[in-house]
Structures are given as structure tokens and as C-alpha cells.
Amino acid sequence: MKILLIGGGGREHAIAEGIKKSKHNPSLYALMAKKNPGIAALCEDFLLEKETEVVKIVEYAKARNIEMAFVGPEAPLAAGVADALWEAGIPVVGPRKACAVIEFDKAWARNFMKKYGIEGCPAYEVFTDEVPAHAFIEKLGDVAVKPSGLTGGKGVKVMGDQLPDLKAAREYTSELLEKGSVVIEERFIGEEFTLQAFVDGKNLAFFPAVQDHKRAYEGDLGPNTGGMGSYTDAGEILPFMLSEDLEKAKKIMQHTVTALYEETGTGYQGILYGQFILTASGPKVVEFNARFGDPEAMNVIPLIETDFVEIMSAVVKGTLESLPVKFSRKATVCKYAVPAGYPDNPEKDSEVVVGDIGEASVYYASVYEKEGRIYTTGSRAVAVVGCAETIEAAEKIAQNALENIRGKLFFRKDIGTVGLIQRRIDHMKEIRG
Ligand code: GLY
């Protein structure tokens, strides 16, 4: 089978590896903006092109007789790449635009949750004018402010975090309103976790829960990033969760998929990503994304024991119900090495040398290859993943590997350490009283 992968980051490197591990021996083709050395090494052929160039992507897929595609990032989904490939007769893992809207229009997503009574929706309103928006901020008193459009997860600001007070929340709202509509919502307090699932239009196959770390520096300090690293435990839940928390989150995702079909008349086929906060009253939805998380994909894809290409086929045919998707019961820790100065003033075009990574896996992200050498682009560069019986052991594997990745880079030593996990557990205990 010939499979086309769209996207060229760390997440897509993990997807490429998943596809290539299939016993069906698929031929992999890739479309990426820059040459990711990890993906390139796994491909028969690749095209360097913008991932939103719908016409060129379809032309390339037809020219290579592609039989199935996987769309990694959100931008091509928002551009309608999945729709165009389906129209060309190529089944796609990655939702059509009508359903992917759940990620790229935050106002739509909240209105949709409200309309269908999906649990975990905060008090919120959508605004286009400053005066009522400011009044709503005062009324709620503690808010999250979200631009309505696709921002790669980077435009959301929260009080007690990036917004020190109500004045800052009002000012940020006014700034966003100059560009479009804004969602103001109640701020949730708790521990974040990510729940991802393969979805075939109706049925969901859930991955183990993951916790990402958005802040750039140790101790959850510094500016927000795309995610500096993440971990899973050796089961479905995280150490600060109860099984019932996970069950509630799963129900919310199942309800969302059913409601998406009712609302759009289109089955959601792809990866659904639920970003939750576990609060004193259970899991609440921060947002939904229409693709794997990055770095979360790198935690969970290596754990899949079921054949990846068979899962992809079940997603596009709507037959997930009859394919048990199994995972190995191991803990994982993923850590990103990022350019010095990231995210505000990153070192670009700086060489990265990957030495002996021991037992860890390595995933190339925002780097490019030139004359056999690897260079940074300005975003997260290289991720390493440790996989072991416990989080502690997985962390050591990842940490040892990072010590042998050289360049003008830094990473968070604390992700997955006993101390940080204990802080999460203590925080949740305090919240639950
Ligand atoms: N890790 C956050 C995201 O992928 O949106």
C-alpha cells in the first residue's frame, strides 16, 4: 500500500515510524515544508511544499498512486486537504473541514458544545465588541481569553498565568478584537491532561492519557511554548487521576463525535484530541484539536501494539468497532531539545548533532537537513522518548539521551521526574480537598 503523510514535524516523524512498522510493508510518501531528516529516511519519496497547497498535494498524491493519506497538522485540515483527497478518491485519516472546525474556530467549538449539552463546557461568551466583552470579563472575574481563529494553540491567555489581572485581560481582549472575534470564558483550576483517540466517524479507540508541559523553563516558569515535553504512566491514567476521571473524559469525547455527525452530517474520521483540566468537579474541556498533539503523539504512537496501517484502514472504513486497538503497558517520557532563546528569540540555522541516544527514540521536529547536517529553524528541534516500566525509569532514559544531543539548545530537566509528578499529585489532592 502507498501511503502519503502530510506534515514534517516531530509528531509526523512519530506517525511515519508507526506506519513503517506495519507488517503490511507500506511504501511511505511525504509532503512537508522542509526536509525532516527522520521522515525523509523512512520515505520512498517526498515533496517539499507548503502543507496547505491543496491542489499540489492532490496532484502529487495522484501522480504517486497514493491509496491512503494521513494529515498530521491542523493547518492542512483547515485548508480542506482532507476534503480534496477524499474527492480525488483517496481515503484520509484526518477530518474534513466541516469537522476540523472544532479546532480552528474556538467560538464555533463552544457554541457547538452548548447546543448539544456536551459536559465540561465553561461559562463563556463570544464577542466582537469591546464594551460588552469588558463587562463580561468583570462579571466572571477570572477568565481565559481566546482568539477565535487558528493560532497553533498559541493565542490563548489565562488569568493567573499570562494575564496578571483584569486590566491585562481587558487589554488583551481589545488587542484581539482588532483582528476578529474573541471567546471569553471562565478559567478552570486544576491539572491539565490530554486524551487522544482514533475516530472512525462513530467509534473511538482511546490512547492512554498524557500530560504536556507548556512553559519553557523548569518549575513551569517562563513563556508558553508548543509543549516542552510530556509523559504517560504505565496504564491509561496519570498519577494524579482516578479511573472515573478518565471515564468522564471518554464520555465527553464520545458525545462530541456523535454530536459532530449530527451537526455537520459528516463523520469525524481522524484523531480527536481533547485538552482537559481536571478540576474539583471533574474533567472540563479546555479545547478540542483535530489532530495528534505534539509532543503527545510521541508518547502514545510507540505504545501501539495493533498494526498502524490496519487502524488507519479501520478509521477510513468506519470499522474501528471490530478492531481492538492495544497498547503496551509502559510509561513514557518525551522531552524536547529547543533552540537557545526559544520561544521568543530562538537561535536559527544552528547545527544540531545527535550522539549516542542509548535506549531512547529520537524524533526530528523543526529542523532541516542540508549537506548531511541538521540545523534548527527556530522552533522545537529534536524530541527524545524514554519508554520503561515506570515514569521514573523512562525519564532517566530520555534525560541520558538529551545529554548526548549537542548544539545551542536547552531542555527541561524536570519533566517526568519524581519531584514534578509528586507536585501534580499534591496539587490535585489540594484541589479535591
Ligand atoms: N501539545 C499541545 C498541542 O499539540 O496542541
Side-chain angles (χ1 to χ4, degrees):
M1 177 173 279
K2 291 183 167 190
I3 297 179
L4 174 64
L5 173 64
I6 293 144
R11 165 182 49 212
E12 288 75 30
H13 187 182
I15 296 167
E17 191 183 82
I19 293 170
K20 286 302 285 181
K21 274 203 307 213
S22 166
K23 64 173 185 276
H24 298 286
N25 200 19
S27 302
L28 184 65
Y29 294 77
L31 189 136
M32 46 194 167
K34 290 202 168 92
K35 184 180 171 187
N36 178 314
I39 299 173
L42 295 170
C43 282
E44 305 292 314
D45 180 46
F46 57 86
L47 178 66
L48 298 183
E49 182 54 83
K50 258 175 82 181
E51 293 150 3
T52 49
E53 285 288 343
V54 180
V55 175
K56 289 186 180 151
I57 292 171
V58 174
E59 271 171 17
Y60 179 71
K62 282 186 175 167
R64 296 290 181 277
N65 297 317
I66 296 298
E67 294 164 85
M68 190 158 52
F70 199 124
V71 182
E74 62 277 19
L77 296 169
V81 167
D83 306 60
L85 286 168
W86 276 105
E87 270 163 36
I90 300 166
V92 189
V93 178
R96 292 171 174 90
K97 204 170 166 181
C99 287
V101 68
I102 198 162
E103 167 159 4
F104 64 78
D105 188 338
K106 303 297 179 205
W108 187 96
R110 285 307 190 205
N111 291 336
F112 159 78
M113 287 185 78
K114 188 172 174 183
K115 178 172 172 187
Y116 288 90
I118 295 170
E119 278 194 44
C121 188
Y124 79 95
E125 276 191 37
V126 183
F127 296 95
T128 48
D129 295 318
E130 196 174 71
V131 174
H134 286 189
F136 193 63
I137 291 170
E138 297 297 326
K139 183 178 157 197
L140 288 182
D142 196 1
V143 296
V145 181
K146 294 179 170 179
S148 190
L150 190 63
T151 60
K154 293 187 183 86
V156 178
K157 291 196 181 180
V158 176
M159 280 178 68
D161 198 339
Q162 307 89 351
L163 301 171
D165 51 28
L166 286 168
K167 181 168 173 280
R170 286 195 304 269
E171 282 171 2
Y172 184 53
T173 301
S174 300
E175 188 188 315
L176 291 179
L177 281 170
E178 281 172 24
K179 291 175 234 156
S181 60
V182 177
V183 183
I184 310 280
E185 56 188 48
E186 160 196 11
R187 176 167 83 107
F188 292 130
I189 296 172
E191 277 297 323
E192 285 197 20
F193 70 94
T194 303
L195 185 59
Q196 304 166 101
F198 282 110
V199 187
D200 72 355
K202 263 196 307 216
N203 306 293
L204 294 90
F206 289 99
F207 290 89
V210 192
Q211 188 174 49
D212 185 16
H213 298 71
K214 295 264 169 33
R215 297 298 199 102
Y217 312 139
E218 278 147 31
D220 295 320
L221 300 172
N224 257 12
T225 69
M228 292 295 288
S230 44
Y231 66 92
T232 59
D233 206 347
E236 276 196 301
I237 59 170
L238 294 163
F240 57 84
M241 294 171 77
L242 305 171
S243 297
E244 66 197 60
D245 300 323
L246 186 69
E247 290 316 308
K248 281 184 189 160
K250 284 183 176 177
K251 269 198 189 137
I252 289 171
M253 297 218 349
Q254 176 70 68
H255 188 180
T256 301
V257 168
T258 308
L260 273 170
Y261 184 71
E262 212 175 313
E263 176 67 15
T264 65
T266 304
Y268 187 107
Q269 287 168 295
I271 306 298
L272 182 63
Y273 169 113
Q275 177 74 64
F276 291 91
I277 288 198
L278 186 53
T279 69
S281 56
K284 308 287 176 190
V285 178
V286 178
E287 64 181 359
F288 290 112
N289 291 328
R291 36 93 191 160
F292 274 122
D294 186 343
E296 292 98 321
M298 291 172 279
N299 294 94
V300 297
I301 293 174
L303 295 176
I304 300 174
E305 288 179 339
T306 310
D307 191 280
F308 199 86
V309 171
E310 287 177 20
I311 303 173
M312 285 177 64
S313 297
V315 166
V316 299
K317 287 183 189 146
T319 56
L320 258 185
E321 203 172 23
S322 54
L323 181 75
V325 178
K326 297 208 174 114
F327 299 94
S328 79
R329 298 249 151 198
K330 292 255 174 84
T332 62
V333 173
C334 175
K335 298 197 196 204
Y336 255 121
V338 302
Y342 173 79
D344 297 330
N345 193 19
E347 285 270 353
K348 293 181 187 161
D349 306 309
S350 162
E351 193 176 355
V352 177
V353 179
V354 178
D356 178 9
I357 54 159
E359 289 173 67
S361 303
V362 65
Y363 298 99
Y364 292 97
S366 292
V367 289
Y368 63 95
E369 190 188 316
K370 199 171 148 199
E371 292 157 7
R373 292 170 186 252
I374 295 165
Y375 298 90
T376 59
T377 64
S379 193
R380 296 172 294 176
V382 179
V384 296
V385 178
C387 186
E389 301 301 320
T390 62
I391 299 173
E392 194 180 350
E395 192 277 331
K396 288 199 168 65
I397 294 169
Q399 186 62 34
N400 287 340
L402 280 169
E403 308 289 351
N404 287 320
I405 296 183
R406 289 181 297 280
K408 290 181 187 162
L409 303 164
F410 76 96
F411 54 86
R412 274 184 64 167
K413 285 196 178 130
D414 61 346
I415 293 169
T417 56
V418 174
L420 194 58
I421 303 286
Q422 191 58 49
R423 279 210 293 285
R424 306 290 188 232
I425 296 169
D426 294 344
H427 183 212
M428 212 54 236
K429 270 191 191 150
E430 186 191 319
I431 284 170
R432 290 192 206 262

